[in-house]
């Protein structure tokens, strides 16, 4: 029996989201459309420069867990916060979504992670993340029974930045596979791929990871090629299953020699791309753990992503279930 559909593991972060123009990014040395790691001093400086902001619990894998729960799935989450105000906000928000979350804080320093996210007029987001308490996530925070009782354990590539988190992920992979479960990861972003390309490829080729999520740029970066089709061929040889998003072109799912293309959801207005990949993974994995076809998995992923990019923030502000049910996907 499975207690959870998906366990997600990631950096527990509170997002602080504000709008800006491209000149602001240039003037402040912010790499556009990437996750920039920063220290506490720069975090304070950027926060002081922000205009009116919206605060929301975030973190890539936490957004995925929230999306799964929003769709009616059973989700669990591992991620480290501090015993401070932002940590309490994070704990409250993810539990309020219906996600199992029992990772305990250890004191107030380092403080809970926060990410200053600047959204430009083209709706692209540029993240500036102070990892704070995230760096303390380690093997001692692994709840073995939760891993064993989850159909899929999913983690974000960003976890390769805090060193002890790698040990926790490898332990989860061992437990999950011994229990006959599957393990999934997202490549997170091209800069993350650039930092850990060899390690990510080893995770896939060694069988520690079964299912990989990526976007076009990330999968091409993984194989250091400008040929998207070649990158798809190579990832299909390196892992059991891969789902690659292509923005407004939808997604392509590859398994062995099989390729399934799924169109993007038609939307009214693009507001904010924050969380698009996280919610695609949420929809895909929920459908996958419920035995739906790969095409249906891709369709539910595209639907969830399409909903979240029409609002500000990375987590759905209303239930996605009515629309998913109307489409026959749950």
């Amino acid at each position: 029996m499975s207690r959870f559909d998906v366990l997600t593991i990631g950096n527990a972060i509170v997002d602080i989201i504000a709008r800006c123009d491209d000149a602001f990014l240039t003037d402040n040395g912010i790499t556009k459309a990437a996750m920039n790691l920063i220290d506490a001093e720069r975090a304070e400086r950027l926060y002081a420069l922000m205009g009116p902001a919206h605060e929301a619990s975030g973190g890539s894998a936490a957004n995925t867990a929230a999306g799964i729960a929003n769709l009616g799935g059973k989700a669990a989450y591992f991620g480290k916060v501090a015993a401070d105000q932002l940590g309490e906000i994070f704990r409250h928000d993810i539990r309020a979504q219906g996600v199992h979350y029992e990772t305990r804080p250890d004191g107030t320093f380092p403080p809970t992670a926060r990410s200053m996210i600047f959204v430009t007029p083209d709706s692209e987001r540029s993240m500036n993340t102070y990892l704070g308490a995230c760096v303390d996530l380690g093997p001692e925070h692994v709840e073995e029974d939760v891993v064993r009782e989850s159909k899929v354990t999913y983690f974000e590539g960003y976890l390769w930045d805090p060193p002890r988190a790698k040990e926790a992920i490898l332990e989860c992979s061992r437990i999950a596979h011994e229990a006959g479960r599957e393990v999934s990861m997202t490549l997170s972003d091209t800069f993350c791929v650039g930092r850990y390309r060899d390690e990510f490829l080893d995770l896939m080729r060694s069988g520690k990871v079964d299912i990989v999520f990526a976007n076009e740029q990330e999968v091409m970066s993984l194989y250091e090629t400008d040929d998207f089709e070649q990158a798809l061929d190579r990832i299909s040889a390196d892992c059991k299953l891969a789902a690659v998003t292509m923005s407004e072109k939808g997604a392509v799912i590859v398994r062995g020699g099989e390729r399934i293309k799924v169109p993007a959801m038609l939307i009214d207005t693009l507001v904010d791309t924050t969380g698009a990949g996280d919610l695609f993974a949420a929809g895909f994995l929920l459908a996958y753990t419920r035995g739906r076809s790969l095409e249906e998995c891709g369709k539910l992923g595209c639907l969830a992503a399409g909903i979240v990019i029409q609002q500000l923030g990375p987590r759905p502000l209303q239930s996605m279930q009515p629309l998913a049910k109307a489409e026959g996907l749950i």
Side-chain angles (χ1 to χ4, degrees):
M1 294 294 293
S2 299
R3 191 168 147 212
F4 302 105
D5 295 308
V6 184
L7 159 66
T8 76
I9 312 170
N11 290 324
I13 298 170
V14 175
D15 292 334
I16 305 168
I17 307 168
R19 295 192 175 277
C20 74
D21 55 23
D22 285 276
F24 180 90
L25 301 182
T26 302
D27 292 345
N28 289 283
I30 297 170
T31 303
K32 186 173 180 178
M35 194 278 282
N36 305 270
L37 287 175
I38 60 175
D39 59 19
E41 181 181 353
R42 181 160 170 78
E44 292 295 332
R45 186 162 65 251
L46 287 178
Y47 183 70
L49 293 170
M50 295 183 90
H54 166 75
E55 292 186 2
S57 296
S60 176
N63 295 336
T64 298
I68 289 165
N70 182 285
L71 284 164
K74 296 174 290 183
Y77 177 72
F78 297 165
K80 196 77 165 56
V81 297
D84 56 17
Q85 183 178 6
L86 288 183
E88 185 55 40
I89 289 171
F90 184 93
R91 285 194 299 273
H92 171 270
D93 287 354
I94 198 164
R95 288 173 174 169
Q97 292 273 354
V99 176
H100 170 91
Y101 176 54
E102 297 296 335
T103 309
R104 293 186 178 181
D106 298 313
T108 59
F109 188 84
T112 297
R114 70 285 317 266
S115 182
M116 271 64 68
I117 301 177
F118 296 96
V119 182
T120 40
D122 58 0
S123 299
E124 192 57 81
R125 80 280 186 271
S126 305
M127 298 178 286
N128 302 267
T129 303
Y130 169 57
L131 289 175
C134 290
V135 301
D136 288 338
L137 183 70
E140 67 273 21
H141 299 112
V142 172
E143 299 166 52
E144 291 192 26
D145 59 327
V146 174
V147 180
R148 283 193 299 268
E149 295 170 9
S150 299
K151 295 176 185 176
V152 174
T153 292
Y154 167 93
F155 68 93
E156 59 190 65
Y158 289 136
L159 277 181
W160 247 240
D161 286 312
R164 295 182 65 249
K166 297 181 185 183
E167 300 173 33
I169 294 300
L170 293 174
E171 177 67 1
C172 286
S173 177
R174 181 191 66 78
I175 296 166
H177 284 126
E178 286 181 357
R181 308 299 192 177
E182 291 180 293
V183 176
S184 178
M185 74 173 292
T186 172
L187 297 185
S188 292
D189 77 14
T190 55
F191 292 90
C192 189
V193 172
R195 292 193 293 273
Y196 304 111
R197 179 177 294 108
D198 291 342
E199 291 179 70
F200 287 174
L201 287 170
D202 180 67
L203 286 170
M204 295 157 56
R205 292 167 178 169
S206 66
K208 293 182 177 69
V209 165
D210 307 292
I211 306 166
V212 177
F213 290 87
N215 63 29
E216 287 178 280
Q217 293 73 34
E218 291 159 4
V219 74
M220 288 190 289
S221 174
L222 183 66
Y223 294 104
E224 298 180 279
T225 178
D226 293 326
D227 186 329
F228 181 53
E229 294 300 320
Q230 181 186 92
L232 291 180
D233 287 340
R234 294 183 67 180
I235 199 168
S236 69
D238 281 340
C239 66
K240 175 181 174 181
L241 175 64
V244 183
T245 56
M246 304 180 292
S247 300
E248 71 278 1
K249 294 176 289 184
V252 58
I253 302 149
V254 295
R255 180 172 60 185
E258 187 179 11
R259 289 193 189 180
I260 300 167
K261 291 189 177 180
V262 180
M265 174 185 172
L266 295 177
I267 65 170
D268 295 324
T269 305
L270 177 62
V271 175
D272 174 16
T273 58
T274 307
D278 305 333
L279 269 292
F280 175 85
F284 187 100
L285 286 171
L286 180 64
Y288 182 79
T289 56
R290 296 194 170 179
R292 305 301 286 261
S293 70
L294 292 182
E295 182 179 12
E296 290 171 320
C297 293
K299 285 182 177 179
L300 188 54
C302 286
L303 182 143
I307 290 172
V308 83
I309 63 175
Q310 296 182 81
Q311 60 164 63
L312 189 65
R315 297 185 186 177
L317 300 177
Q318 59 187 23
S319 174
M320 298 186 289
Q321 292 184 54
L323 187 53
K325 287 178 179 177
E327 295 293 324
L329 296 172
I330 59 172

